[in-house]
Amino acid sequence: MQSYSEKVKIVRKANFPSRQLVATADLLPGDVILEEQPLLVAPHWECEQMKCSQCMLDSFVMCKKCEFFPLCIDCTNHNSYDCDFFCNTGAGAKISKNLLVENYAIYGVLKLLLLMENPTSGEQCAALSATPGAAVVDSDAWQEREVHIVNPLLQSGIAQAFKQVKVTHELLHTLCWRIDANAFEVAASDGNTLKGVYVCCAQLPHNCVPNTVVTIDEEFHLKLYASVRIRAGDIIYNSYTNPLMGTSQRQHELRLTKGIECTCARCSDPLELGTHMSSLKCQQCATGFVVCTGPIRDGKRSGEWKCTSCGATMDTAMVKELLVDVGEALLETNSELLAYESLLDKYGGRFHQNHFVLVEIKQNIAAILRAILMNPMCVPGQDLLERKLQLCEELMPLVRTVLPGISKLYGIALYEYLLSYMELAELMYEDKEAGNAALIFQEKLENARDIAAKAKEMLRFEPSNSPEGHLVSRIAMEQKRIEENLGQLNSKRNGV
Ligand SMILES: [Zn+2]
Ligand SMILES: [Zn+2]
Ligand SMILES: [Zn+2]
Ligand SMILES: [Zn+2]
């Protein structure tokens, strides 16, 4: 199921998190720390398209033996314990053959119950059972599960079919929570995303600035790499939030999905490691930023908002109101480019340029520009390319700070930058054949060569079939384009 590097050891602790992984020797960026196979792979709760119980590709037929589990046309069988359980002589023979088909959301929990009941996999499940099960009763998610998973399972009479596992209302909710809290998004070979439960990797403590990077291939094999140099004695961290969110958003998400109260260096720093991702512009002086310096309690930083330069204070209610305003304005943009740009203009004077709400708007603009640039029917002009480059230049240093070392997100940002950079360089060169245009073009190509190499380095561990892996081959195409251009310039210079 899993194997750890010899350069780490598991340290058990009395309090949460109950275990830590600690380096026993220096680890270099790219060193593999952990390899793990998933305990189970399941569709997202809301997925209605049935998946093959063997390979997790789309299913359109049923297993002929148990008539209970879906299969694809290429797979003829699936896990024999599960199959036997529901066939006519099995413990679950009395359960309706339509239970899963009519309530597909139950798949993950049902599969986990079978794993727990199966003597050959009981031990693997024990690690999952040791993880916290903190489902919040009556939350929206809890209600959804009550209706779509817990009730159908209890009403099916399945509790009586299990001998080892005591199936109760509470257990089913706990299993739902544990599946989510230990899941990573995985992609099947058809590109559809699923949830993979990786107990060892998911139990690594969280840090908003992680020192590792995770990749998962289409066989669902997970590898955890060191993303930066990790020294002997350091704790191995993973991150379970979007690094481009502000502290209050990250804290909220972590509490909801993992039951974690993060106290990492980034969360503890009102300036968020100097990025100012939660800072406002001071309206009293021209240069200062207003930040909240109080301690974090219950996921919220309490205390007053104060300018770092002139000391002017701002009412907490006003800060809240401003954030609600932008949130509402964002909903009214209809995902239109100009609407986002005018929002940036409107709120640019209120927030630090790295504030998470402006970052969100910029990411939306970048996504629209990306779609335009990717459209082969569209020839982007100089303005559009320059805007894209500017956005990348603003976002990239942020990504670098919150995800140092080997980072997928930085690799993707570099790739996007490279595309626009090359387009613009070629466009400008076509326009001006005279003077030192060739020299400038050559300089830009050499620069692009460095960007491409850096982007490839960031994505070098991505499995070739993953979306990031596809980027690597596209970067290779750009590298070819750069070298061809350089070759042509050379030929021209030599008068060939
Ligand atoms: Zn299949
Ligand atoms: Zn079967
Ligand atoms: Zn944190
Ligand atoms: Zn001020």
Side-chain angles (χ1 to χ4, degrees), residues 137-349:
V137 178
D138 282 340
S139 65
D140 288 351
W142 188 93
Q143 291 287 2
E144 283 274 314
R145 284 159 203 175
E146 174 83 357
V147 174
H148 299 293
I149 300 167
V150 177
N151 284 343
L153 275 170
L154 287 176
Q155 286 158 11
S156 72
I158 208 154
Q160 289 78 44
F162 285 92
K163 299 287 170 288
Q164 301 303 317
V165 184
K166 197 166 173 290
V167 181
T168 61
H169 182 261
E170 195 192 346
L171 175 76
L172 295 177
H173 273 293
T174 303
L175 295 185
C176 292
W177 164 269
R178 285 198 176 124
I179 288 175
D180 276 346
N182 292 281
F184 288 78
E185 186 154 288
V186 300
S189 53
D190 58 4
N192 285 320
T193 62
L194 306 149
K195 285 190 290 200
V197 175
Y198 297 86
V199 185
C200 296
C201 195
Q203 288 309 306
L204 292 178
H206 165 86
N207 193 302
C208 295
V209 185
N211 51 12
T212 58
V213 62
V214 172
T215 67
I216 301 173
D217 69 18
E218 60 177 7
E219 249 89 65
F220 310 130
H221 186 78
L222 176 147
K223 280 189 181 181
L224 178 81
Y225 298 89
S227 59
V228 291
R229 190 189 176 108
I230 300 174
R231 299 194 184 276
D234 284 356
I235 298 168
I236 313 289
Y237 288 109
N238 199 354
S239 168
Y240 306 104
T241 58
N242 176 350
L244 293 183
M245 296 196 302
T247 296
S248 54
Q249 291 175 304
R250 292 195 316 280
Q251 294 262 338
H252 178 73
E253 194 193 25
L254 285 169
R255 197 168 336 107
L256 219 61
T257 57
K258 302 273 288 183
I260 294 174
E261 301 292 341
C262 188
T263 54
C264 76
R266 183 178 168 195
C267 285
S268 316
D269 178 4
L271 302 186
E272 294 206 34
L273 308 177
T275 61
H276 282 284
M277 282 189 73
S278 300
S279 307
L280 281 75
K281 273 188 182 164
C282 177
Q283 303 298 306
Q284 304 300 319
C285 70
T287 52
F289 294 104
V290 179
V291 299
C292 187
T293 51
I296 296 175
R297 274 194 210 100
D298 296 330
K300 287 196 184 86
R301 196 181 290 284
S302 50
E304 66 177 356
W305 287 77
K306 204 170 178 181
C307 174
T308 52
S309 179
C310 73
T313 57
M314 195 170 164
D315 197 20
T316 310
M318 264 177 70
V319 178
K320 247 189 213 159
E321 204 177 307
L322 193 57
L323 286 173
V324 171
D325 277 358
V326 194
E328 283 171 359
L330 260 170
L331 291 177
E332 285 164 15
T333 52
N334 290 327
S335 305
E336 281 168 19
L337 185 61
L338 290 178
Y340 283 127
E341 290 285 11
S342 73
L343 267 192
L344 259 194
D345 278 347
K346 184 173 173 193
Y347 291 102

Side-chain angles (χ1 to χ4, degrees), residues 63 65-66 69 78 83:
C63 170
K65 193 176 166 203
C66 62
F69 283 99
H78 58 110
C83 193

Side-chain angles (χ1 to χ4, degrees), residues 68-131:
F68 187 90
F69 283 99
L71 290 177
C72 70
I73 20 181
D74 294 325
C75 295
T76 47
N77 53 32
H78 58 110
N79 181 291
S80 59
Y81 183 87
D82 300 354
C83 193
D84 291 343
F85 193 91
F86 285 102
C87 72
N88 292 334
T89 51
K94 289 205 186 98
I95 308 296
S96 161
K97 297 285 183 207
N98 293 330
L99 175 65
L100 181 59
V101 180
E102 286 172 357
N103 305 281
Y104 195 56
I106 67 171
Y107 179 83
V109 175
L110 178 65
K111 179 71 199 169
L112 187 49
L113 286 170
L114 289 162
L115 280 165
M116 290 160 74
E117 182 82 357
N118 184 344
T120 61
S121 51
E123 206 174 299
Q124 296 159 21
C125 296
L128 185 71
S129 304
T131 67

Side-chain angles (χ1 to χ4, degrees), residues 478-489:
E478 289 303 308
Q479 285 177 314
K480 207 171 147 220
R481 178 176 168 194
I482 294 166
E483 296 311 323
E484 275 169 10
N485 270 308
L486 280 167
Q488 277 167 16
L489 278 181

Side-chain angles (χ1 to χ4, degrees), residues 208-210 266 272-275 277 354 395-405 410:
C208 295
V209 185
R266 183 178 168 195
E272 294 206 34
L273 308 177
T275 61
M277 282 189 73
N354 286 348
L395 292 172
M396 286 198 303
L398 255 190
V399 177
R400 209 64 299 234
T401 308
V402 295
L403 290 174
Y410 191 55

Side-chain angles (χ1 to χ4, degrees), residues 387-431:
R387 180 67 178 132
K388 181 78 204 253
L389 287 180
Q390 188 190 12
L391 286 169
C392 288
E393 280 162 7
E394 285 177 21
L395 292 172
M396 286 198 303
L398 255 190
V399 177
R400 209 64 299 234
T401 308
V402 295
L403 290 174
I406 301 166
S407 145
K408 276 183 223 201
L409 198 57
Y410 191 55
I412 295 167
L414 280 169
Y415 167 71
E416 296 219 347
Y417 186 75
L418 175 69
L419 271 193
S420 302
Y421 190 86
M422 277 299 291
E423 285 284 334
L424 189 61
E426 285 183 350
L427 188 74
M428 301 304 277
Y429 182 55
E430 273 169 27
D431 275 1

